[in-house]
Amino acid sequence: GEGREAAAQSTRQWFSSGNGGEYRKTYHGFAPGYAMVVDSPTHLQMAPMQIDTWNREAMDISARRQGPVRFVPGPQPRASLAPADAAHSGLLECPMTTRLTKVVDGAYAVHANASSCAEPILTYHECFEAARKVFTHVVSVSNASGADARRPVGCSAALRPSSASVSVFFNEMASPPTACSVAHQCVCPVAPKPFGQATGALRYHPTSQPADVGRGFAARFGGGGKSCAAWPST
């Protein structure tokens, strides 16, 4: 123990890999060529991160009943990807607040005569930011998301030339039969990068609260050695 530490590696070490950010695919680990070395460890003490996900108004855990109480998630942000009937809370995925939107580096195009995008946009964050890049000539842009079988899968837009406005919609349905059309044009990525290789930034959207003075880009992701390794190593 004490005598060996002066001549060899450390015999005790504190480290944390619970940096969160799972929703943003934050890397958990050490950079290539680096490691946390401990000489002959004999004990390991863990301190797990606790996230309270119970909805106490809908889950009576003190009532006597046969079988477990059905799980009902508590309040969740709109960025949660958990389905409505999920047996877990979307908070476990650490979704981003709606004050942040992901701006992915890259180009986008609009298609009216295709069944769907070759690789559709997968999040409303990217959908709304993609529309900002594509429809630069309009005066007004409105954003919405939901599940609608009458609209194409992923990101689509309804252009109204008379009012110089566009309504952008992110369809949460995985496979609606509706194809891209003039009425609902698909917004598609152009030569998207492979999963884990994208770069971009998180844009912060301030609220009307006087104490909220944040604005601009909060942080960049990807690039600079922070991108995931190519498949299948990702």
Side-chain angles (χ1 to χ4, degrees), residues 1 16 20 50-51 78 89 97 103 114 128 138 146 159 167 172 178 184 200 216 219-220:
S16 172
Q50 304 291 337
I51 302 179
R78 291 196 300 271
S89 169
T97 170
V103 184
F128 299 160
V138 300
L159 187 62
S167 297
E172 298 172 352
T178 305
H184 299 294
R220 288 198 60 82

Side-chain angles (χ1 to χ4, degrees), residues 140-156:
S140 174
V141 178
S142 61
N143 299 320
S145 63
D148 190 345
R150 299 168 298 176
R151 298 174 184 262
V153 63
C155 189
S156 63

Side-chain angles (χ1 to χ4, degrees), residues 157-172:
L159 187 62
R160 299 181 176 85
S162 60
S163 59
S165 64
V166 63
S167 297
V168 182
F169 185 80
F170 177 73
N171 199 349
E172 298 172 352

Side-chain angles (χ1 to χ4, degrees), residues 22-25 78-82 93 95-97 100-104 108 117 119-132 143-146 153-156 168-174 187-189 195 198 201-202 221:
E22 290 83 359
Y23 185 86
R24 301 192 298 272
K25 311 300 181 184
R78 291 196 300 271
S80 171
L81 298 179
E93 301 163 357
M96 290 191 299
T97 170
L100 289 176
T101 54
K102 181 180 290 185
V103 184
V104 180
Y108 299 88
C117 298
E119 294 190 33
I121 292 174
L122 300 179
T123 65
Y124 75 84
H125 302 100
E126 185 177 0
C127 174
F128 299 160
E129 291 295 340
R132 287 165 55 102
N143 299 320
S145 63
V153 63
C155 189
S156 63
V168 182
F169 185 80
F170 177 73
N171 199 349
E172 298 172 352
M173 296 186 69
V187 181
C188 307
F195 177 79
L202 301 177
F221 60 87

Side-chain angles (χ1 to χ4, degrees), residues 2-228:
E2 297 294 337
R4 296 180 60 189
E5 188 168 352
Q9 302 292 341
S10 173
T11 59
R12 62 185 67 85
Q13 186 62 261
W14 178 90
F15 59 93
S16 172
S17 294
N19 49 309
E22 290 83 359
Y23 185 86
R24 301 192 298 272
K25 311 300 181 184
T26 301
Y27 176 70
H28 289 248
F30 298 103
Y34 290 82
M36 188 73 74
V37 180
V38 182
D39 187 352
S40 302
T42 59
H43 297 81
L44 178 65
Q45 179 177 336
M46 297 181 61
M49 179 179 66
Q50 304 291 337
I51 302 179
D52 189 356
T53 62
W54 285 16
N55 187 331
R56 285 165 174 74
E57 294 183 357
M59 297 177 62
D60 186 2
I61 62 174
S62 60
R64 292 188 176 183
R65 65 180 75 233
Q66 292 183 349
V69 178
R70 179 180 178 275
F71 177 77
V72 179
Q76 303 179 73
R78 291 196 300 271
S80 171
L81 298 179
D85 57 347
H88 71 283
S89 169
L91 292 177
L92 299 177
E93 301 163 357
C94 297
M96 290 191 299
T97 170
T98 48
R99 297 186 188 183
L100 289 176
T101 54
K102 181 180 290 185
V103 184
V104 180
D105 296 334
Y108 299 88
V110 177
H111 297 282
N113 299 312
S115 58
S116 63
C117 298
E119 294 190 33
I121 292 174
L122 300 179
T123 65
Y124 75 84
H125 302 100
E126 185 177 0
C127 174
F128 299 160
E129 291 295 340
R132 287 165 55 102
K133 294 182 179 181
V134 173
F135 299 103
T136 57
H137 58 287
V138 300
V139 177
S140 174
V141 178
S142 61
N143 299 320
S145 63
D148 190 345
R150 299 168 298 176
R151 298 174 184 262
V153 63
C155 189
S156 63
L159 187 62
R160 299 181 176 85
S162 60
S163 59
S165 64
V166 63
S167 297
V168 182
F169 185 80
F170 177 73
N171 199 349
E172 298 172 352
M173 296 186 69
S175 57
T178 305
C180 310
S181 64
V182 175
H184 299 294
Q185 303 177 46
C186 295
V187 181
C188 307
V190 176
K193 294 183 179 180
F195 177 79
Q197 299 296 309
T199 59
L202 301 177
R203 186 196 303 274
Y204 184 81
H205 301 271
T207 66
S208 58
Q209 300 174 0
D212 191 352
V213 296
R215 61 176 48 86
F217 290 106
R220 288 198 60 82
F221 60 87
K226 293 187 290 184
S227 296
C228 297

